[in-house]
């Protein structure tokens, strides 16, 4: 039985400015959920988003308010006896709020895994891989800085797939930036993320130039509202087109898959509304012949570990992942950091998430940000 649910906002500076079409990030506000049970278990989940309200329609503060005001009283009153029943309850009484639902489900699965002594991957279908390759996003805003950063990543054997954030400059400037990087790194997979910034006409022009320059993957070039444009671009170009922001809950992913609106789905556990929902999206995409890519909302290590458990179960993961969120942060909130080596991340094998959260550190940072935060009864 759940004894307490604490939602913590934990702001952490990034290692450098991270420039997207919709915002420039200098810090990431981790949204962490800490659940404790009557019989002494604890679980952690994460509902982090990007750039306040600039990326998605839920902000760190709205997520915390909604969990504290609606999710917690409902769960404390109804006392669901399993993760599945808790999620059924939340999905029946609370519409939307997919990020918050994901964090609650993650924390409950963390507890369930600890209780059963099984990693989450084994509770949600079973892992078929123990490590995943991890791309890095070059987003300093400067071509030479990005090239130097990429060389450093390759030398350190951290990353050899690079994603470039474009869409905030004139198309020809963005294309010149991407092609300069592709030429400097001819052996690396180079992908671009437009974060919805182009019209369909701009996308026709931009993608044509990028395809001619041997760019490997184009992510969410047009608005998530314009699914038919995404489908037309997918049909028109040979280069793979990936859906990201538009891939939301399983219902909407089903329609996108049935209509084959993209060649690849970027799946994000928060956007999906939880780990099991993200597994379902992966299975549907696979059945529909759509390739899979493990996406991130630039979460810290809790959401990243949860995502890694999900992606470990995918039947295929041909476009790999971008689970680099913790590496963009100046602080680690785990006792032992996640294991990034040889261009990839090893999926934790311990019970639940398989990680140990440094709760003193997390509560300390959260208190600095929100001084009135109540103390947990037994962290
Ligand atoms: C996005 O749109 O994919 C993922 C990596 C990154 O740099 O930004 C995020 C969001
Ligand atoms: Mg994206």
């Amino acid at each position: 039985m759940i004894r307490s649910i604490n939602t913590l906002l934990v702001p952490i500076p990034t290692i450098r400015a991270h420039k997207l079409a919709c915002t420039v990030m200098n810090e990431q506000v981790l949204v962490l959920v800490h659940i404790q049970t009557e019989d002494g278990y604890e679980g952690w989940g994460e509902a982090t988003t990007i750039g306040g309200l600039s990326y998605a329609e839920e902000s760190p503060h709205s997520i915390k308010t909604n969990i504290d005001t609606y999710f917690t009283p409902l769960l404390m009153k109804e006392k669901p006896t399993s993760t599945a029943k808790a999620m059924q309850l939340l999905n029946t009484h609370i519409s939307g709020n997919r990020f918050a639902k994901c964090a609650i489900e993650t924390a409950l699965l963390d507890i369930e895994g600890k209780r059963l002594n099984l990693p989450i991957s084994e509770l949600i279908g079973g892992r078929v891989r123990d490590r995943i390759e991890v791309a890095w996003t070059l987003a300093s805003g400067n071509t030479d800085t990005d090239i130097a950063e990429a060389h450093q990543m390759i030398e350190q054997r951290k990353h050899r797939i690079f994603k470039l954030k474009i869409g905030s400059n004139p198309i020809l400037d963005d294309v010149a930036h991407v092609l300069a990087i592709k030429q400097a790194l001819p052996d690396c997979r180079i992908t671009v993320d437009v974060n919805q910034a182009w019209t369909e006409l701009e996308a026709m022009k931009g993608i044509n130039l990028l395809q001619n320059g041997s760019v490997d993957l184009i992510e969410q070039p047009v608005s998530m509202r314009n699914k038919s444009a995404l489908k037309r671009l997918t049909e028109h170009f040979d280069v793979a087109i990936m859906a990201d922001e538009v891939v939301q809950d399983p219902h909407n992913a089903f329609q996108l898959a049935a209509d084959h609106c993209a060649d690849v789905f970027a799946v994000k556990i928060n956007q999906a509304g939880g780990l099991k929902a993200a597994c379902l999206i992966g299975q549907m995409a696979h059945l529909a012949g759509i390739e899979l890519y493990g996406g991130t909302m630039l979460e810290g290590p809790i959401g990243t570990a949860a995502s890694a458990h999900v992606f470990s179960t995918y039947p295929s993961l041909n476009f790999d992942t971008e689970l680099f969120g913790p590496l963009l942060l100046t602080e680690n909130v785990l006792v032992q950091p996640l294991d990034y080596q040889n261009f990839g991340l090893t999926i934790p094998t311990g019970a639940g998430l398989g990680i140990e959260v440094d709760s003193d550190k997390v509560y300390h940072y959260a208190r600095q940000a929100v001084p009135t935060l109540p103390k947990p009864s037994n962290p």
Side-chain angles (χ1 to χ4, degrees):
M1 225 57 84
I2 296 173
R3 186 176 54 160
S4 64
I5 304 176
N6 283 332
T7 312
L8 312 166
L9 300 184
V10 184
I12 300 186
T14 54
I15 56 171
R16 58 147 167 75
H18 197 66
K19 198 167 182 286
L20 289 73
C22 56
T23 190
V24 180
M25 296 167 64
N26 288 293
E27 70 166 16
Q28 178 59 307
V29 182
L30 305 185
V31 185
L32 304 183
V33 171
H34 182 202
I35 297 184
Q36 293 173 296
T37 64
E38 299 287 2
D39 58 348
Y41 285 94
E42 65 172 1
W44 288 87
E46 184 166 354
T48 297
T49 184
I50 292 173
L53 275 173
S54 62
Y55 188 95
E57 57 199 17
E58 297 171 44
S59 76
H61 296 82
S62 74
I63 293 167
K64 175 171 165 49
T65 300
N66 288 345
I67 294 176
D68 294 348
T69 315
Y70 296 97
F71 286 68
T72 301
L74 183 62
L75 290 165
M76 298 308 276
K77 177 165 171 275
E78 297 297 331
K79 303 187 187 340
T81 50
S82 71
T83 309
K85 287 177 183 162
M87 295 313 290
Q88 173 91 340
L89 179 74
L90 295 179
N91 284 323
T92 305
H93 293 280
I94 295 177
S95 62
N97 284 273
R98 301 186 312 278
F99 288 58
K101 285 175 182 167
C102 178
I104 299 280
E105 189 190 37
T106 304
L108 293 175
L109 284 171
D110 191 22
I111 291 168
E112 199 172 309
K114 286 171 181 163
R115 201 172 260 136
L116 298 170
N117 198 22
L118 284 173
I120 285 180
S121 56
E122 304 315 297
L123 302 178
I124 56 172
R127 66 176 63 184
V128 294
R129 60 185 67 76
D130 296 315
R131 80 184 279 290
I132 46 184
E133 178 111 8
V134 178
W136 177 255
T137 297
L138 299 169
S140 72
N142 176 281
T143 310
D144 293 336
T145 308
D146 282 357
I147 292 172
E149 193 173 290
H151 282 306
Q152 207 183 356
M153 294 298 178
I154 296 166
E155 263 160 43
Q156 294 170 349
R157 297 185 65 77
K158 281 192 180 157
H159 310 277
R160 58 186 167 192
I161 305 169
F162 298 101
K163 159 160 149 172
L164 315 184
K165 290 293 196 181
I166 60 172
S168 57
N169 300 309
I171 297 176
L172 293 182
D173 293 356
D174 269 346
V175 168
H177 166 75
V178 175
L179 298 189
I181 293 177
K182 178 72 192 173
Q183 271 162 24
L185 305 164
D187 300 330
C188 294
R189 189 188 311 159
I190 300 292
T191 79
V192 301
D193 190 355
V194 193
N195 282 121
Q196 316 184 64
W198 287 341
T199 64
E200 185 173 359
L201 208 56
E202 288 169 336
M204 286 295 287
K205 180 175 170 186
I207 298 172
N208 189 36
L209 296 167
L210 294 169
Q211 179 173 273
N212 290 341
S214 300
V215 167
D216 299 279
L217 178 68
I218 314 284
E219 179 174 344
Q220 196 68 55
V222 290
S223 165
M224 58 183 274
R225 295 201 185 89
N226 200 346
K227 293 188 187 107
S228 46
L230 193 65
K231 180 174 162 63
R232 282 190 290 274
L233 294 167
T234 300
E235 285 165 353
H236 184 85
F237 289 106
D238 289 338
V239 60
I241 306 287
M242 181 155 80
D244 178 13
E245 284 90 327
V246 67
V247 182
Q248 300 196 351
D249 62 20
H251 288 95
N252 138 293
F254 173 78
Q255 211 51 60
L256 289 170
D259 295 343
H260 207 97
C261 289
D263 300 302
V264 188
F265 280 1
V267 186
K268 295 175 173 172
I269 59 169
N270 282 339
Q271 278 193 174
L275 281 66
K276 289 186 193 160
C279 287
L280 193 52
I281 293 174
Q283 296 292 344
M284 281 192 302
H286 184 67
L287 292 177
I290 290 169
E291 301 282 358
L292 286 162
Y293 177 88
T296 178
M297 285 301 283
L298 301 175
E299 294 102 332
I302 297 169
T304 298
S307 304
H309 282 284
V310 169
F311 303 149
S312 79
T313 70
Y314 280 180
S316 67
L317 194 57
N318 287 343
F319 281 84
D320 301 294
T321 80
E322 57 177 17
L323 290 184
F324 68 89
L327 304 176
L328 191 64
L329 304 178
T330 51
E331 284 290 342
N332 172 44
V333 296
L334 299 186
V335 174
Q336 282 293 328
L338 293 176
D339 183 7
Y340 286 98
Q341 284 184 59
N342 284 326
F343 307 110
L345 169 65
T346 300
I347 301 161
T349 51
L353 285 169
I355 57 175
E356 194 184 339
V357 175
D358 186 337
S359 50
D360 287 344
K361 200 173 188 180
V362 166
Y363 276 92
H364 173 71
Y365 285 138
R367 257 183 231 110
Q368 282 183 333
V370 186
T372 54
L373 184 78
K375 284 196 171 149
S377 44
N378 186 23

